[in-house]
Amino acid sequence: MFVSPAYAQAAGGASSGGSAVMLIGQFVLLGAIFWFLILRPQQKKLKEHRAKIDAVKKGDTVVTGGGIIGKVTKVEDHEVEVEIASQVKIKVVKATLTDVQPLGGAKPAND
């Protein structure tokens, strides 16, 4: 009430320099946490999935995005021919494959 407005403004302005640095530091820290806990693992998983899809070969068992399971009979650049039943073959775009099981199947458990 008895303090002049100019004095109150000067006091607030002097302490805002330190809090601006703290605010920027907090955003940098949150960005780093976001990167290491969310973005980095997601990019690593995507890279492994792309490598798996690119390495598909004849005889592998694949699952498409629509849930169709079949055996690869022919591999082209961007498409794969999949046998889903006896003498029933369909062409599938490689990018729509969600899972690839190698020719020998999954590795057995060490029981």
Side-chain angles (χ1 to χ4, degrees):
M1 189 151 129
F2 295 108
V3 179
S4 70
Y7 180 71
Q9 288 177 351
S15 66
S16 69
S19 53
V21 171
M22 288 286 288
L23 184 65
I24 292 172
Q26 289 175 350
F27 279 121
V28 169
L29 181 64
L30 284 173
I33 290 170
F34 185 76
W35 171 259
F36 282 106
L37 293 180
I38 297 174
L39 294 177
R40 190 169 172 240
Q42 184 179 16
Q43 288 175 346
K44 185 177 177 183
K45 187 176 179 181
L46 181 64
K47 193 177 199 180
E48 290 172 358
H49 179 70
R50 280 188 191 152
K52 190 188 255 191
I53 298 303
D54 290 339
V56 69
K57 60 187 179 297
K58 184 177 177 179
D60 291 345
T61 301
V62 295
V63 179
T64 67
I68 298 172
I69 301 172
K71 190 173 185 178
V72 176
T73 59
K74 184 179 178 184
V75 179
E76 296 175 2
D77 290 336
H78 299 288
E79 296 176 348
V80 176
E81 190 174 271
V82 180
E83 185 176 13
I84 57 175
S86 179
Q87 300 298 321
V88 179
K89 296 179 182 178
I90 59 173
K91 276 195 170 186
V92 179
V93 177
K94 271 188 177 181
T96 63
L97 297 178
T98 58
D99 192 22
V100 178
Q101 296 296 322
L103 179 60
K107 294 181 182 177
N110 293 331
D111 290 332

